[in-house]
Amino acid sequence: MRTQVVIIGGGPSGLLLSQLLYTKGIDSIVLERQTRDHVLGRIRAGVLEQGMMALMAEAGVDARMKAKGIAHHGTLISYDDTLFRIDFQKHTGTSVMVYGQTEVTQDLYAAREAHGGQIEFEVAGVTIHDADRDAPYVTYTVGGQERRIDCDFVAGCDGFHGVSRNSIPQRSRREFEKVYPFGWLGVLSETPPVNDEIIYANSERGFALCSMRNDQLSRYYIQCSMADKPQDWSDDAFWQELKRRIPQDQAAQLVTGPSIEKSIAPLRSFVTEPMRWGRLFLCGDAAHIVPPTGAKGLNTAASDVHYLFTGLCQHYLDGTDEGLERYSEKALARVWKAERFSWWFSSLMHRYPDQSAFDLRMQRAELEFLRSSDAAQKALAENYVGLPY
Ligand code: RFL
Ligand code: PHB
């Protein structure tokens, strides 16, 4: 088999890239390790920046997002019983959209399938060959059969645990990592959200987040120990703990119900440099991870897709390789800013096991500064709605 671009990973990065390339007549084949149902069943991100929305529109998959997504013009931050609002509209003139990654992925799959896109599910043993030469190829097995695809380029969109990053020799890359000493326990429930806007809560019992998918579907998270297991937390224990971590007036109006999903996610900051090795380009979680405070993961994956798509269009349609040559530099410049914001916002909102009394006073002072300073609020708003591409 032969195609122009082999895309490893059928998550949002891989699918979005494949669909965008299709709109320009550039062929790709997507290789996905999991089943279609598994990929479409994952509950992850919830907040889209303007840049991601624009890419969905460019890919021609924004109809449902426009109809069902909810524009958020601000967000709420609390510490103990103090609640204040950051007004995105006032500070940046723009907003974000609450629309689940699960929906984004569904829209992308629907579009790829409607246009005859080639996606191979349940592939195993994906191996990238000769990415540092002129004629790369990818081998894998599916249904017990060995396959080979020759291509011009390989896009490594296979997430943090994929094979693409590790296909780059260790001497040619450098990794930067911070692992946080806690996780997020997330619950999805068919209940109306506690507030119209997302609440990020710092409390002495740890961080909590009140988010939503629509007016009948809520998504809540609490900071937990990485030693915890989701089954250790009954629904009742979860709701009790959440109520203790958000302002009393919010807790009083919280509608609880059975969880329809419960999982624990680790928190990590990670970047690999460079994001390109010869004809292999890393995109999204394959190259970098942010802690979810600030909702930057999917959105940063989207900015990578934008730079790579632009570079591939220039290569195939304009005959210039400048965009591909500068892909890693451009993507990383934006990645590091998202890393900084996510690290800063995580540090501000969580309790750390080794925090001293002084550290806690610093956190409190910074929250009070954020509550009272227009300049600090503007800086948060600018990062939250997404820095320009
Ligand atoms: P994905 O989604 O991990 O997709 C990678 C795909 O590659 C497949 N794969 C392979 N396929 C073939 N061969 C192999 N060897 C393979 N190895 C892996 C996998 O099966 C998978 O289908 O990476 P991608 O596409 O880069 O997308 C990244 C986003 O999924 C991620 O950044 C976000 O979900 C992060 N995130 C959030 N991001 C936001 O922008 N806003 C949010 O509100 C937000 N909330 C979150 C989040 C992530 C969370 N978790 C679970 C870590 C909330 C949580 C709790
Ligand atoms: C979510 O709705 O899942 C969500 C929202 C905001 C975040 C992280 C996750 O910062």
Side-chain angles (χ1 to χ4, degrees):
M1 262 192 296
R2 185 176 162 82
T3 190
Q4 289 171 304
V5 185
V6 170
I7 299 176
I8 306 177
S13 308
L15 264 281
L16 182 58
L17 179 63
S18 174
Q19 177 64 14
L20 285 166
L21 291 174
Y22 163 79
T23 66
K24 299 289 181 191
I26 302 168
D27 287 335
S28 65
I29 299 177
V30 177
L31 302 178
E32 168 56 49
R33 183 170 60 182
Q34 304 284 357
T35 63
R36 188 180 183 282
D37 284 354
H38 180 97
V39 175
L40 291 175
R42 288 193 291 230
I43 313 286
R44 286 193 175 172
V47 180
L48 309 186
E49 295 174 355
Q50 293 293 331
M52 171 68 178
M53 289 181 238
L55 282 174
M56 293 283 283
E58 195 174 352
V61 292
D62 59 337
R64 230 163 50 97
M65 178 187 82
K66 276 194 183 140
K68 294 195 161 188
I70 316 162
H72 278 220
H73 303 295
T75 196
L76 300 165
I77 296 189
S78 75
Y79 50 103
D80 304 329
D81 272 333
T82 304
L83 183 78
F84 64 97
R85 180 167 187 265
I86 311 263
D87 189 328
F88 302 150
Q89 202 68 41
K90 170 179 145 194
H91 290 295
T92 68
T94 184
S95 54
V96 293
M97 180 172 277
V98 167
Y99 188 65
Q101 179 171 328
T102 315
E103 309 298 323
V104 168
T105 315
Q106 266 176 25
D107 296 343
L108 287 166
Y109 270 103
R112 287 318 295 125
E113 286 162 6
H115 298 116
Q118 274 182 275
I119 308 174
E120 293 250 47
F121 291 98
E122 296 183 79
V123 301
V126 170
T127 310
I128 304 165
H129 305 265
D130 292 350
D132 56 339
R133 309 244 172 99
D134 286 344
Y137 62 100
V138 175
T139 56
Y140 60 99
T141 58
V142 64
Q145 286 197 329
E146 297 259 346
R147 300 256 170 96
R148 167 177 169 147
I149 312 177
D150 291 275
C151 57
D152 302 329
F153 300 104
V154 179
C157 301
D158 47 354
F160 186 64
H161 300 286
V163 294
S164 299
R165 184 176 65 255
N166 292 318
S167 305
I168 304 177
Q170 274 205 332
R171 63 175 187 283
S172 302
R173 66 188 148 98
R174 188 158 173 213
E175 295 183 348
F176 304 82
E177 183 174 45
K178 177 181 172 67
V179 177
Y180 297 76
F182 40 74
W184 278 18
L185 168 64
V187 155
L188 190 69
S189 70
E190 283 168 335
T191 52
V194 66
N195 198 295
D196 291 345
E197 291 187 337
I198 294 177
I199 306 174
Y200 290 88
N202 174 313
S203 93
E204 62 180 21
R205 299 182 67 90
F207 171 74
L209 173 62
C210 305
S211 184
M212 71 280 297
R213 292 293 175 269
N214 58 49
D215 62 4
Q216 287 308 318
L217 194 56
S218 296
R219 181 70 166 158
Y220 296 104
Y221 299 92
I222 55 173
Q223 175 184 350
C224 68
S225 160
M226 274 315 290
D228 289 1
K229 301 270 166 288
Q231 59 271 24
D232 300 339
W233 283 88
S234 67
D235 287 356
D236 199 42
F238 179 86
W239 294 120
Q240 289 306 326
E241 188 57 36
L242 178 65
K243 282 184 188 175
R244 291 192 191 109
R245 296 185 186 194
I246 59 178
Q248 273 179 22
D249 59 335
Q250 300 296 312
Q253 66 196 40
L254 179 76
V255 180
T256 65
S259 64
I260 54 173
E261 197 262 357
K262 198 185 279 162
S263 53
I264 293 181
L267 267 73
R268 184 193 305 272
S269 298
F270 175 88
V271 180
T272 190
E273 291 184 354
M275 287 172 58
R276 172 202 178 184
W277 187 62
R279 289 173 173 265
L280 167 64
F281 296 83
L282 302 179
C283 259
D285 280 15
H288 42 76
I289 297 286
V290 288
T293 334
K296 289 283 157 261
L298 174 62
N299 291 303
T300 311
S303 59
D304 295 349
V305 168
H306 161 80
Y307 295 124
L308 183 53
F309 171 58
T310 307
L312 289 168
C313 287
Q314 287 173 358
H315 173 86
Y316 285 113
L317 309 176
D318 308 333
T320 160
D321 279 342
E322 204 247 340
L324 290 179
E325 297 293 346
R326 295 194 54 207
Y327 168 72
S328 179
E329 172 198 331
K330 285 188 179 175
L332 281 168
R334 194 173 185 281
V335 163
W336 276 114
K337 290 179 193 150
E339 290 284 342
R340 187 209 65 84
F341 176 66
S342 308
W343 160 81
W344 169 79
F345 201 19
S346 298
S347 312
L348 181 68
M349 299 309 294
H350 291 80
R351 289 295 150 123
Y352 289 69
D354 60 352
Q355 244 167 348
S356 67
F358 179 82
D359 296 335
L360 287 169
R361 281 287 190 275
M362 287 295 98
Q363 207 182 51
R364 167 60 66 112
E366 189 155 6
L367 281 161
E368 283 175 0
F369 176 63
L370 182 60
R371 180 168 62 90
S372 58
S373 160
D374 239 33
Q377 294 194 3
K378 186 175 164 67
L380 189 149
E382 207 177 324
N383 281 281
Y384 199 98
V385 302
L387 297 174
Y389 284 3

